[in-house]
């Protein structure tokens, strides 16, 4: 299917790449179908995009939380994941949303609201982690710069 997006322009998304969020995402319950895209032109290895199929102007930057928080391991009630189908740890992908303000030094990720994807079933959900272990606005600018320096060594 062809989708005209705000971030990528017109792109073709194969049906087998569509990830369904049966309950939508936090703040946008009506958006249930997404594709996970990577912007290779911009050369960012760590940030990907969850592109809405229903609303082409809506795409969320997301990333693997382990890049910026190596000990990230939130406890999520199994009940919140049961609608994803049978979970195989090898097929499980956890992402967090990235906030990129005009002042890039204030870039952050939401560690409290991870997105859990069952890649085998192409289903996903966003959950809210209870407790105070993880921040909604975890600053990542300095961490990403440090990671870049280490990769260049």
């Amino acid at each position: 299917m062809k989708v005209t997006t705000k971030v990528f322009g017109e792109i073709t998304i194969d049906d087998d790449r569509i990830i369904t969020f049966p309950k939508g995402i936090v703040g946008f319950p009506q958006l249930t179908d997404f594709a996970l895209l990577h912007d290779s032109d911009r050369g960012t290895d760590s940030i990907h995009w969850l592109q809405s199929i229903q609303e082409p102007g809506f795409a969320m930057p997301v990333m693997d939380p382990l890049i910026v928080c190596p000990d990230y391991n939130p406890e999520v009630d199994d009940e919140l994941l049961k609608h994803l189908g049978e979970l195989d740890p090898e097929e499980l992908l956890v992402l967090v949303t990235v906030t990129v303000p005009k002042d890039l030094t204030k870039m952050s990720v939401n560690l409290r609201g991870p997105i859990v994807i069952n890649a085998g079933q192409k289903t996903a959900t966003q959950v809210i982690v209870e407790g105070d272990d993880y921040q909604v606005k975890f600053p990542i600018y300095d961490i990403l710069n440090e990671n870049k320096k280490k990769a260049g060594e």
Side-chain angles (χ1 to χ4, degrees), residues 124-138:
T125 190
Q126 185 174 21
V127 297
I128 304 301
V129 176
E130 299 296 323
D132 296 326
D133 292 343
Y134 298 107
Q135 300 174 24
V136 172
K137 290 189 178 247
F138 181 75

Side-chain angles (χ1 to χ4, degrees), residues 22-90:
K23 297 181 178 187
I25 57 173
V26 175
F28 301 92
Q30 75 283 9
L31 300 180
T32 57
D33 295 332
F34 289 83
L36 186 60
L37 306 175
H38 176 69
D39 189 358
S40 56
D41 291 342
R42 294 192 183 144
T44 57
D45 293 332
S46 53
I47 297 181
H48 305 281
W49 296 85
L50 264 181
Q51 171 65 55
S52 171
I53 302 301
Q54 291 115 326
E55 181 55 55
F58 183 83
M60 285 190 309
V62 294
M63 71 184 307
D64 178 344
L66 298 177
I67 292 172
V68 293
C69 185
D71 61 347
Y72 186 69
N73 189 18
E75 284 190 32
V76 176
D77 188 344
D78 289 344
E79 189 68 23
L80 297 174
L81 303 176
K82 75 176 188 179
H83 64 279
L84 296 183
E86 188 163 334
L87 296 176
D88 173 355
E90 295 292 317

